[in-house]
Amino acid sequence: MTATQAAGKLDALPGSQFPLGATPLAGGTNFAVASDIADAVTLCLFDGAGRETQVPLTDYDAGVWHGFVPGVGPGQAYGYRVTGPYDPARGLRCNPAKLLTDPYARAISGEVTFGPEVLGNAVGNSDQPSALDSAGHVPRSLVVDPAFQWADEVPVRRRYSDTIFYELHVKGFTMRHPGVPAELRGTYAGLAHESVIGYLAELGVTAVELLPVHQSVPESFLPARGLTNYWGYNTLGYFAPHNGYSAAAAAGQPGGQVAEFQAMVQALHAAGIEVILDVVFNHTCEAGPDGPTLCFRGLDNPAYYRLDPGDPSKYIDTTGCGNSLNAGDPRTLQLIMDSLRYWITDMHVDGYRFDLAPTLARQEGGFDQVSAFFDMVSQDPVVSQAKLVAEPWDVGQMDSYDIGRFPALWREWNGKYRDSMRDFWRSHPIGIGEFATRFCGSSDLYGGAERRRPTASVNLITVHDGFTLRDLVSYEDKHNEANGEDNRDGTSDNRSWNCGVEGPTTDPAIVALRERQSRAMLTTLLLSFGVPLMVAGDEAGRTQQGNNNAYCQDNDITWVDWSSQDKELLDFTRRLIAFRREHPVFRRRRFLSGIEATELGWFTQAGTPMSGDDWANSGALSLGIYLDGSDDPDRAEDGTPLVDDDFLVLINAWWEPLEFVIPPTRDGQSWQPALDSYDLTSEGPDGKAAPQQAGDRVMAGPRSVRALRGLRRASS
């Protein structure tokens, strides 16, 4: 049997139910696919001309259909047809007219061409199966040998306290990079290029968090508008690197995206940069009941999706995308865990950010801290060792906002940090206590009975979803007209401030104000306790022209424009990241109470300790924070105390400059300028500025963060 055989049928030899997927072996390939409801499963092999050879899989064990096909090896295109009950009223949607991708495919070629052919039901009659063959309109799974010649790697494995996440899109980050050869732009190979990795290393970030790289499919309505799902939150293949980001696949190398991705990871690791994947196990690309039948729905609809108990023809949707994966089903749990394990063991990634993560814990409907998914992750010897970050909210449930509720193993995107810091720097009266709580790691969320660390908080001000940092200070309203939905999509709650003019302006005063606002927020982010998350391009003033929902814009709106960088902001961000890296006092791995500990002190503008009345002043916008760098310091991995200098951080969110009185801290302590988000020319500790003492007065510019350094490490 060869892949070039004319259309017909062949018999498979007895194979193995383990592992699932297509596994090349000596002399052929073992195919195994799971379906508890199928009456029959047919493997479909395709040659280069698209001719189909059908191979019935007659061996069935414990829900798995399998067979060994001699002569088939890497590069072979295939899919499945499933014969079984079609009864939507009972949640059953098998239809052999639909060619299905393998849920375990290591690579996928081609794209979906939307039309009635990809629908499981007959047009106009959801109770009848469609007789239209979908084979000419859907992608092919590919047999792949994932073996890769890895160099002798030393795992990066940075502590969370030493981590700076940098969220980027593989295509958008490299598509316009002048140092990347044209044929590599927008690809994994482009991200691995020395000019790109050099930029990341010089910036100082420690982990790239890649927007989804699993094979994805756009929503059916987008191609008709000339758009696509650029972000990739619409997964088809949980084991397959997206073929649209592969230079090898574009050059005609079927399955070449696998080795290209592995080479990218290896190059990033060689530079000391971890690779985190944004994964979407909350829903798939098949949308609601009227969506396309591409994979999971046609294989075993009740196993893969949460069905409405009152009407199994419908889905429970806690994602806003039409369906929710059934994380309470053993088959789906196996798929999720096998995928997570595969990307760590075979592709060498370092961790995951889970999109709409509460959906995975809704085994019985409500968010459950002891759900089967959490249990399996915590017990898995591979996955439990990876970085695990949750987006702790989903859609439309009474308990959809689950920030602070994830198990201790997890870190969480801190939405309260984002909202509070945005409000604070636009001078909204959130209360100075709220700012202080978020700045010091959100102990109200993570420092309770479960005794999590400040690093449970992944601090963010911007992410892919919403305004960029430049747009956050340039627009008060969203401008999503290019999305084709009359500006109805995207949130209207941006907590942004345009500084006086909506959108671009040449007014020098407004331009300067926007620059100060950007620097103040970046400084707050990088000095806060917790794990900072930056968004690619924010460090250099990237704009999306006010689009706060650019999920469908695969163009100049979302691609990083390397030709119009804000060089001053970029240089400041590099120095800011280096400052955080140099000073462990800003990377504390435990909470400081400020009451029972001497390492932390809070002071008014007048240099006096904050009183109850001071904390209760909801309109306060200024604060002095004292950090003792040598009192009970954290320890390095070799046990060395991470002794640091002392720091005094002055926060001024007023629109006027403020004079701060230096408070009394340590006897004889003197202070020198260390960092100033307002005055970029201020002298540092090695400069010529005269040291200052307690009682002296220092100026903090309007809407700024200023740090003073008290040298003491040399004598500690």
Side-chain angles (χ1 to χ4, degrees):
M1 155 66 200
T2 67
T4 58
Q5 182 168 337
K9 288 188 177 182
L10 289 174
D11 293 329
L13 300 177
S16 172
Q17 69 189 90
F18 304 112
L20 291 169
T23 306
L25 303 168
T29 296
N30 187 79
F31 293 88
V33 64
S35 175
D36 287 308
I37 65 171
D39 296 326
V41 173
T42 301
L43 169 68
C44 304
L45 305 176
F46 293 87
D47 65 13
R51 291 173 295 188
E52 178 179 344
T53 298
Q54 296 189 346
V55 185
L57 298 182
T58 57
D59 287 281
Y60 176 81
D61 291 289
V64 177
W65 303 78
H66 56 89
F68 180 83
V69 183
V72 168
Q76 173 67 58
Y78 71 99
Y80 291 107
R81 297 183 186 273
V82 174
T83 301
Y86 183 89
D87 187 353
R90 295 192 294 135
L92 307 175
R93 296 178 177 271
C94 299
N95 185 344
K98 308 304 160 184
L99 184 74
L100 308 176
T101 58
D102 182 356
Y104 279 72
R106 268 40 175 186
I108 294 173
S109 66
E111 300 176 350
V112 175
T113 302
F114 288 102
E117 294 85 358
V118 300
L119 299 179
N121 59 275
V123 175
N125 189 346
S126 60
D127 294 326
Q128 292 296 320
S130 167
L132 300 176
D133 193 331
S134 69
H137 301 263
V138 296
R140 306 284 190 260
S141 305
L142 295 175
V143 178
V144 173
D145 182 358
F148 182 77
Q149 191 62 45
W150 294 95
D152 293 334
E153 280 192 322
V154 177
V156 181
R157 292 184 179 173
R158 295 184 186 274
R159 288 181 173 186
Y160 281 105
S161 56
D162 297 330
T163 297
I164 298 176
F165 290 122
Y166 187 74
E167 185 192 59
L168 65 82
H169 190 286
V170 168
K171 182 175 184 179
F173 194 66
T174 62
M175 197 63 186
R176 301 179 66 183
H177 195 293
V180 176
E183 67 274 14
L184 301 184
R185 292 177 184 172
T187 69
Y188 307 118
L191 187 57
H193 193 268
E194 60 184 5
S195 62
V196 176
I197 291 182
Y199 175 87
L200 295 170
E202 186 178 2
L203 181 60
V205 296
T206 69
V208 290
E209 182 178 301
L210 305 182
L211 266 69
V213 296
H214 290 163
Q215 187 71 41
S216 62
V217 172
E219 290 85 350
S220 60
F221 60 85
L222 289 175
R225 300 179 185 172
L227 303 171
T228 190
N229 190 317
Y230 168 74
W231 286 346
Y233 290 95
N234 221 34
T235 306
L236 174 63
Y238 289 107
F239 293 79
H242 188 66
N243 55 33
Y245 306 151
S246 172
Q253 302 173 33
Q257 57 264 45
V258 177
E260 184 178 340
F261 185 94
Q262 292 167 315
M264 176 198 73
V265 172
Q266 182 167 266
L268 287 163
H269 281 177
I273 299 172
E274 293 180 298
V275 179
I276 310 298
L277 301 189
D278 193 336
V279 291
V280 190
F281 289 110
N282 56 77
H283 76 281
T284 78
C285 64
E286 292 185 304
D290 57 349
T293 294
L294 305 174
C295 179
F296 313 97
R297 174 178 289 137
L299 276 168
D300 197 332
N301 191 55
Y304 286 113
Y305 295 117
R306 292 182 63 202
L307 306 183
D308 185 340
D311 183 358
S313 69
K314 299 177 180 179
Y315 295 126
I316 294 175
D317 180 10
T318 60
T319 68
C321 299
N323 64 64
S324 303
L325 274 179
N326 186 6
D329 185 90
R331 188 64 67 194
T332 301
L333 279 172
Q334 180 185 4
L335 171 79
I336 294 171
M337 296 306 300
D338 285 350
S339 172
L340 294 174
R341 203 176 301 109
Y342 168 77
W343 286 91
I344 295 171
T345 58
D346 288 50
M347 308 297 270
H348 286 208
V349 305
D350 303 284
Y352 303 97
R353 177 266 185 188
F354 291 81
D355 184 63
L356 301 182
T359 294
L360 290 165
R362 296 191 181 280
Q363 185 173 341
E364 303 296 334
F367 177 82
D368 188 352
Q369 291 178 308
V370 293
S371 67
F373 171 70
F374 286 149
D375 282 347
M376 293 187 73
V377 167
S378 66
Q379 295 175 32
D380 190 279
V382 174
V383 179
S384 64
Q385 302 301 309
K387 282 187 165 68
L388 303 171
V389 179
E391 181 184 37
W393 48 81
D394 56 9
V395 176
Q397 309 302 299
M398 293 293 291
D399 59 351
S400 277
Y401 198 63
D402 295 298
I403 188 169
R405 299 184 61 201
F406 276 71
L409 185 65
W410 291 71
R411 273 60 183 174
E412 302 175 19
W413 275 20
N414 191 339
K416 288 191 175 182
Y417 181 97
R418 173 199 61 206
D419 295 345
S420 295
M421 294 311 186
R422 286 188 177 194
D423 278 343
F424 182 78
W425 285 110
R426 62 184 182 136
S427 302
H428 275 229
I430 64 169
I432 202 68
E434 173 66 12
F435 174 89
T437 298
R438 302 297 154 234
F439 184 90
C440 286
S442 296
S443 61
D444 60 329
L445 299 175
Y446 307 114
E450 293 187 1
R451 295 183 294 179
R452 298 168 74 181
R453 298 179 182 270
T455 51
S457 176
V458 175
N459 298 327
L460 57 127
I461 292 177
T462 59
V463 290
H464 65 277
D465 186 3
F467 282 150
T468 66
L469 182 62
R470 175 57 56 87
D471 290 353
L472 191 66
V473 300
S474 303
Y475 296 90
E476 294 201 13
D477 300 308
K478 62 186 179 182
H479 296 270
N480 300 350
E481 290 81 4
N483 295 356
E485 298 183 36
D486 297 324
N487 208 35
R488 294 189 303 270
D489 62 306
T491 182
S492 296
D493 181 22
N494 295 292
R495 300 172 190 253
S496 60
W497 178 45
N498 64 18
C499 297
V501 172
E502 186 75 357
T505 181
T506 57
D507 185 319
I510 293 177
V511 170
L513 176 57
R514 289 175 175 177
E515 291 173 348
R516 292 198 299 272
Q517 286 287 93
S518 297
R519 292 195 299 268
M521 284 189 274
L522 280 173
T523 304
T524 303
L525 178 67
L526 270 300
L527 297 190
S528 294
F529 291 17
V531 186
L533 168 65
M534 299 176 58
V535 181
D538 272 0
E539 74 279 7
R542 185 176 76 89
T543 177
Q544 291 183 167
Q545 304 164 36
N547 193 321
N548 75 350
N549 189 36
Y551 79 102
C552 56
Q553 300 295 331
D554 186 5
N555 49 46
D556 287 348
I557 292 176
T558 52
W559 299 345
V560 173
D561 183 0
W562 297 88
S563 68
S564 63
Q565 290 184 316
D566 183 335
K567 300 294 186 181
E568 189 175 73
L569 180 60
L570 176 59
D571 181 63
F572 176 80
T573 307
R574 286 171 175 159
R575 289 189 285 117
L576 187 59
I577 292 174
F579 183 81
R580 178 184 176 89
R581 183 173 61 245
E582 181 182 353
H583 295 291
V585 72
F586 295 105
R587 297 182 277 110
R588 288 280 199 175
R589 299 176 61 238
R590 58 188 175 80
F591 287 107
L592 308 179
S593 71
I595 298 173
E596 299 172 356
T598 60
E599 319 89 309
L600 184 65
W602 308 97
F603 296 93
T604 68
Q605 175 192 347
T608 58
M610 290 283 289
S611 67
D613 289 341
D614 293 325
W615 286 118
N617 182 358
S618 62
L621 293 170
S622 64
L623 181 68
I625 307 170
Y626 168 68
L627 298 166
D628 187 322
S630 65
D631 192 346
D632 194 19
D634 292 334
R635 295 190 300 165
E637 293 183 4
D638 64 359
T640 304
L642 294 172
V643 176
D644 202 353
D645 298 321
D646 293 352
F647 284 89
L648 187 62
V649 180
L650 308 178
I651 308 294
N652 177 21
W654 293 103
W655 44 89
E656 299 288 345
L658 283 184
E659 191 175 64
F660 281 81
V661 176
I662 296 179
T665 54
R666 192 180 302 277
D667 289 343
Q669 179 65 282
S670 62
W671 300 93
Q672 290 184 313
L675 187 72
D676 193 338
S677 71
Y678 179 82
D679 182 4
L680 302 184
T681 64
S682 63
E683 295 284 357
D686 298 323
K688 300 178 182 179
Q692 294 179 292
Q693 312 290 330
D696 289 345
R697 299 173 182 273
V698 296
M699 192 67 68
R703 303 185 185 281
S704 72
V705 180
R706 185 173 185 184
L708 304 179
R709 180 177 178 183
L711 296 175
R712 54 172 294 144
R713 281 188 294 180
S715 61
S716 298

